[in-house]
Amino acid sequence: NIPPQLASAVAEEKISAAPALGEQGKSALQEMLGVKRNLKDYRMMIRVFAMDKCITPEEIRQLGRFRKDHGISQDRHIEILAGLGISNQDWEHYVEVGKSSKSEEKEKESKISSSAHDWNEKQVVEWLTLVSKKYHIQQKTIDKFKGEDVNGEALLELDRPMMMQLGITMGQSNAVFKAI
């Protein structure tokens, strides 16, 4: 295993150290190194997406695009899963959990009024809970909104000093602003 900060230097050294290969050989070596890098990136995507044992439809689309763009077959996908300790059956379960959580989110979204200005405190907390995974909003941040009379109109007018008064850290206030 080569440390990431040295990987490109090592790859360049391998390519330049093979003058006897000619241009065709160099091209093949570059392609091989690119394929390995693509597989490593794909492996990392799977590892991140599977951390919560829930693969959302959007994550499936991202993985599918990456597989298509980089020629990663279904067999190779299954090999990568196995290398990460994820059985194909577990993967299918994660996908099903993602589908059902997505339909639950849509159901919850439909219960929340489309105009944030009209939300009451409870709807603000429901919305924050709904978007918390996507925007990495922690439960303790959501809890700080409870009992503070933050309705939809107040949510839309929040600024950093107000968030700090609620005891919300800079990182979490950034996450809330992204969600808004």
Side-chain angles (χ1 to χ4, degrees), residues 43-111:
R43 191 176 296 115
M44 182 59 72
M45 287 172 72
I46 290 175
R47 184 177 293 139
V48 169
F49 290 162
M51 286 174 75
D52 59 356
K53 299 183 183 341
C54 172
I55 310 297
T56 66
E58 177 56 30
E59 291 168 338
I60 291 293
R61 278 190 289 282
Q62 288 177 22
L63 289 169
R65 276 193 302 268
F66 193 91
R67 284 178 55 188
K68 182 180 178 191
D69 291 347
H70 300 286
I72 299 172
S73 69
Q74 179 66 17
D75 290 340
R76 190 68 174 132
H77 168 78
I78 292 170
E79 287 175 25
I80 291 170
L81 289 177
L84 294 171
I86 303 169
S87 71
N88 199 35
Q89 184 178 1
D90 286 342
W91 181 259
E92 293 301 323
H93 175 72
Y94 298 169
V95 169
E96 285 303 313
V97 169
K99 285 178 185 175
S100 66
S101 70
K102 190 70 174 177
S103 63
E104 288 172 12
E105 282 179 22
K106 283 183 179 178
E107 187 178 311
K108 286 179 184 176
E109 280 177 3
S110 68
K111 291 180 181 176

Side-chain angles (χ1 to χ4, degrees), residues 132 135-138 140-141 144-145 160 163-164 167-179:
S132 64
Y135 293 98
H136 309 289
I137 299 171
Q138 299 171 355
K140 66 182 180 181
T141 300
K144 291 182 179 181
F145 280 85
R160 276 194 174 60
M163 295 271 233
M164 300 299 266
I168 297 171
T169 65
M170 182 68 76
Q172 282 295 286
S173 66
N174 286 341
V176 172
F177 284 130
K178 284 180 187 176

